Amino acid sequence: MARVVVDVMLKPEILDPQGQAVQRALPRLGFEGVSDVRQGKRFELEVDGPVDDAALARIHELAESFLANTVIEDYIVKVEEVAEAGK
Amino acid sequence: MARVVVDVMLKPEILDPQGQAVQRALPRLGFEGVSDVRQGKRFELEVDGPVDDAALARIHELAESFLANTVIEDYIVKVEEVAEAGK
């Protein structure tokens, strides 16, 4: 069992109203020194079996076709934990 | 300038309908072998100046009070890139 994380963020050139709303609120809440905030989605996938190249290719396909709207979003795939199953 | 990432995920014991919807759709889309999916939020904060302990403490406070609903969500703070300003 391994956990694969897919982070989906708006492309830099796309306006991020949610991130801007958070950023504008920060000074009112007493938080200075944060010049930009961008908000995106994080998917944690628990994958059966080893995360080999084939599994990673499949997850890239999944992210590209289903988790991210690649017209306006970028995504990054990261393997986080590999729980050593009994061999 | 440094980028600090705050990942906000539902606590494990909290039902995640969005994650479940994604997971149930995967076999129909031809993606097998993903036993669980959880969806959360990812915030990327561009922080002015060095991310020292004081800045990190402030960001933890910000995450605790504003970015996460700590009744149902957990959060993790990670420093990603530290762009070395000219000394």
Side-chain angles (χ1 to χ4, degrees), chain A residues 26-45:
Chain A
L26 295 184
R28 266 199 339 267
L29 296 164
F31 295 99
E32 303 295 341
V34 176
S35 54
D36 189 30
V37 175
R38 293 187 72 78
Q39 180 175 340
K41 290 172 283 190
R42 172 185 167 95
F43 294 93
E44 291 180 357
L45 312 174

Side-chain angles (χ1 to χ4, degrees), chain A residues 1 7 9 22 25-26 29 31-48 58 61-62 65-67 78 80, chain B residues 1 7 9 22 25-26 29 31-48 58 61-62 65-67 78 80:
Chain A
M1 180 73 79
D7 286 329
M9 298 297 291
V22 171
L26 295 184
L29 296 164
F31 295 99
E32 303 295 341
V34 176
S35 54
D36 189 30
V37 175
R38 293 187 72 78
Q39 180 175 340
K41 290 172 283 190
R42 172 185 167 95
F43 294 93
E44 291 180 357
L45 312 174
E46 304 299 333
V47 177
D48 305 332
R58 239 177 345 98
E61 219 184 297
L62 168 63
S65 59
F66 190 53
L67 301 180
K78 294 178 279 194
E80 273 203 354
Chain B
M1 181 70 79
D7 286 330
M9 298 298 290
V22 171
L26 295 185
L29 296 164
F31 294 100
E32 303 296 341
V34 176
S35 55
D36 190 30
V37 176
R38 294 186 72 76
Q39 180 173 340
K41 290 172 281 188
R42 173 185 167 95
F43 294 92
E44 291 181 356
L45 312 174
E46 304 300 332
V47 178
D48 306 331
R58 243 178 338 101
E61 223 185 291
L62 167 63
S65 58
F66 189 53
L67 301 180
K78 293 177 281 194
E80 276 206 350

